[in-house]
Amino acid sequence: MAKTAFALNMPPEKAIKWLEQQGVSVQSRSSMNPEDAAKVITVARISNLDMMQSIKTALIDSAKNGTTYAQFKKDILSHMQAAGWLHKDENGKPEIIDPDSGEVFGSPRRLENIYRTNMQAAFSAGRYQSLMQNAASRPFWQYSAVNDNRTRPAHAALSGQVYRFDDPFWNTFYPPNGYRCRCTVTALAERDIQRRSITVSESTADNLIDVVKTDKSGKTYISKTYRAADGMQVSTDKGFNYNVGKVNFRPNLEDYDRNLAQQFARADISGAEFKASLQRLQKEISQADKQQSTAGKISRPSVKFAAGMLSEENQLLLQSERASVWLSEDVLTEQIKNITGQTADKYYQELPEVIHAPEMIFKGKKKTFALIRETKTGKMLATIRLGSKNREIQVQSYQNLTDHELEVLQKDMQQLK
């Protein structure tokens, strides 16, 4: 087999970074929401975090060195042997045994599935960064399956489909869409669409639908499903119904056209990941007073969302080196405790517009600014803070603003606009 990096035709540095940023979890992938599943390496039936960390390290080494699966297998089995995780069964065949639970994980052959699934996810996430960085000039993405005798019918049905990079289709069907999925995405320019007479599809309520499915244990779940023109319904494997690139990728919006960056922020705040993050945080808050076991906890990197872009005029007014504004999960955790009367995800829908086109701006202390805009849900206030030494601008708070509170701002702060 060719080296993975060359087989997938992309610089390995981005895949390596993705792997390095992944957490590890002993929680079952099927029990996680898409947002969490996309941020961790987890392997069914392994409950030992040291073993999981060793698998992650071996994957990173393979990506860095461009080694094949055979070398990955040799390296990880050697480590497992030394750690006492590898034993022989009654027939003399090697088995991997969880030292914590004593459960037999399976034969080393399962390592190939681990390797190919996680490496494909890593390179797909890295390629997503490259595609997004060229979205202004090549905004149309085409789904591409290998289309050989090993291609699954569902993946073959998607092959050739073209959607804009910001179409909801990619929130679910950006590959990989299952274990050992080999599908990729190709970016096309407007001239490619015209020259080849390609039809650009658009997601609607008719072709991107929610379908109730039943897993092997008999539990039902909702699966976002693509309905082809011939009526065929296509879903991802369970646990793969998210965009591995988008969930983990946050671009440097300073490198983008301002309007395109603002469009990204709107999509980020209204996207499935943001909603899933809010739901998880609300659940964690509701359980805060209960005793929580550390078993199965996820080790994950911090999450942030693109909240909006300052207009060129307002960036100059604030004397800011940067234009992109970000919203962290830490701020969300504090904010959603006070949101009442509406769902949290809808509460934030107009935040990008409040940041981009505020009707009033007030200057506070320590590089803080109050941005105010009348929205569909009333007068909203976004408080932002400029970072020092070209660091990111962060949202400090976002809330409804009463007339009395506005009067206090006008009295206590310097009005710039």
Side-chain angles (χ1 to χ4, degrees):
M1 176 185 172
K3 292 183 179 181
T4 305
F6 297 121
L8 291 169
N9 191 30
M10 64 157 290
E13 306 84 45
K14 294 173 183 176
I16 295 166
K17 184 176 180 180
W18 183 86
L19 285 167
E20 289 176 337
Q21 290 178 339
Q22 293 297 88
V24 295
S25 175
V26 295
Q27 189 175 348
S28 169
R29 177 182 292 273
S30 62
S31 66
M32 299 182 193
N33 61 43
E35 175 213 25
D36 285 339
K39 290 184 172 65
V40 297
I41 294 172
T42 183
V43 181
R45 303 210 326 259
I46 284 188
S47 61
N48 184 284
L49 281 173
D50 289 336
M51 188 186 291
M52 286 301 311
Q53 189 62 47
S54 297
I55 291 173
K56 172 184 173 178
T57 300
L59 288 167
I60 292 171
D61 289 343
S62 291
K64 285 181 176 179
N65 300 323
T67 54
T68 62
Y69 162 68
Q71 186 62 48
F72 164 82
K73 178 181 176 181
K74 180 180 178 180
D75 292 343
I76 193 64
L77 287 181
S78 176
H79 178 83
M80 289 183 172
Q81 179 74 55
W85 295 336
L86 199 63
H87 301 267
K88 291 184 178 180
D89 64 12
E90 57 186 15
N91 298 316
K93 294 182 179 180
E95 287 183 325
I96 302 170
I97 298 180
D98 187 324
D100 286 348
S101 66
E103 183 177 7
V104 177
F105 163 62
S107 74
R109 286 181 299 176
R110 287 198 61 205
L111 291 171
E112 183 173 7
N113 197 33
I114 297 168
Y115 175 84
R116 303 215 185 282
T117 298
N118 284 286
M119 293 297 273
Q120 176 67 19
F123 282 97
S124 289
R127 178 157 175 75
Y128 181 85
Q129 297 185 37
S130 298
L131 292 170
M132 278 299 298
Q133 287 165 354
N134 291 300
S137 58
R138 305 180 73 83
F140 305 102
W141 293 0
Q142 184 172 46
Y143 191 102
S144 178
V146 177
N147 290 324
D148 59 12
N149 60 4
R150 292 192 291 134
T151 301
R152 281 161 274 198
H155 297 201
L158 295 176
S159 191
Q161 291 290 321
V162 176
Y163 290 83
R164 270 184 57 91
F165 74 96
D166 53 355
D167 190 282
F169 173 86
W170 299 113
N171 290 341
T172 300
F173 292 101
Y174 184 87
N177 289 320
Y179 291 103
R180 303 183 72 170
C181 170
R182 298 169 295 152
C183 300
T184 58
V185 173
T186 302
L188 303 172
E190 179 69 41
R191 63 180 179 276
D192 299 318
I193 299 298
Q194 295 177 354
R195 184 175 66 250
R196 294 158 56 183
S197 299
I198 295 174
T199 299
V200 178
S201 300
E202 183 178 353
S203 293
T204 67
D206 293 326
N207 61 21
L208 199 59
I209 59 177
D210 289 328
V211 174
V212 179
K213 294 202 165 189
T214 305
D215 62 19
K216 294 179 181 179
S217 66
K219 294 181 179 179
T220 59
Y221 64 98
I222 302 294
S223 174
K224 186 67 71 176
T225 300
Y226 168 76
R227 181 159 55 194
D230 61 3
M232 179 180 179
Q233 294 187 1
V234 180
S235 302
T236 68
D237 289 357
K238 187 178 181 184
F240 287 85
N241 59 333
Y242 58 86
N243 182 330
V244 70
K246 183 175 181 179
V247 168
N248 290 277
F249 169 57
R250 289 296 178 269
N252 180 4
L253 295 182
E254 304 299 322
D255 294 337
Y256 287 74
D257 171 81
R258 198 180 300 258
N259 291 331
L260 182 62
Q262 176 69 2
Q263 188 174 348
F264 179 90
R266 292 193 195 101
D268 211 21
I269 289 295
S270 62
E273 183 190 2
F274 184 73
K275 185 175 182 178
S277 192
L278 287 172
Q279 290 173 341
R280 174 174 54 76
L281 290 173
Q282 288 174 317
K283 182 178 180 180
E284 290 176 357
I285 291 170
S286 68
Q287 296 176 341
D289 295 331
K290 299 178 182 179
Q291 184 67 32
Q292 297 292 307
S293 169
T294 57
K297 284 283 188 178
I298 296 174
S299 169
R300 57 172 176 257
S302 60
V303 179
K304 63 179 182 179
F305 299 93
M309 293 288 292
L310 297 174
S311 68
E312 186 174 1
E313 175 190 354
N314 290 334
Q315 183 181 357
L316 291 171
L317 185 63
L318 272 56
Q319 299 180 5
S320 173
E321 296 180 14
R322 303 176 72 87
S324 56
V325 183
W326 298 86
L327 174 63
S328 72
E329 272 198 348
D330 291 338
V331 170
L332 278 175
T333 301
E334 295 301 318
Q335 291 283 286
I336 60 178
K337 295 177 183 178
N338 304 317
I339 297 174
T340 58
Q342 56 189 308
T343 57
D345 59 314
K346 294 187 182 301
Y347 182 82
Y348 286 93
Q349 292 306 292
E350 298 199 62
L351 175 59
E353 297 310 310
V354 175
I355 290 171
H356 183 70
E359 294 159 347
M360 290 182 280
I361 299 177
F362 293 87
K363 181 179 181 180
K365 298 178 181 179
K366 297 181 180 180
K367 295 186 177 181
T368 60
F369 295 87
L371 313 181
I372 301 168
R373 180 181 172 87
E374 189 74 40
T375 72
K376 296 177 182 177
T377 54
K379 195 180 273 84
M380 300 302 295
L381 163 66
T383 303
I384 64 173
R385 183 174 182 178
L386 273 57
S388 58
K389 297 182 179 179
N390 204 30
R391 292 183 180 178
E392 291 176 348
I393 307 173
Q394 296 284 344
V395 174
Q396 299 292 296
S397 65
Y398 183 61
Q399 64 192 66
N400 292 102
L401 185 69
T402 66
D403 290 339
H404 174 69
E405 289 169 333
L406 176 57
E407 290 175 3
V408 173
L409 282 178
Q410 291 171 325
K411 180 180 178 182
D412 296 343
M413 299 177 71
Q414 177 187 357
Q415 186 167 358
L416 303 182
K417 182 177 180 180

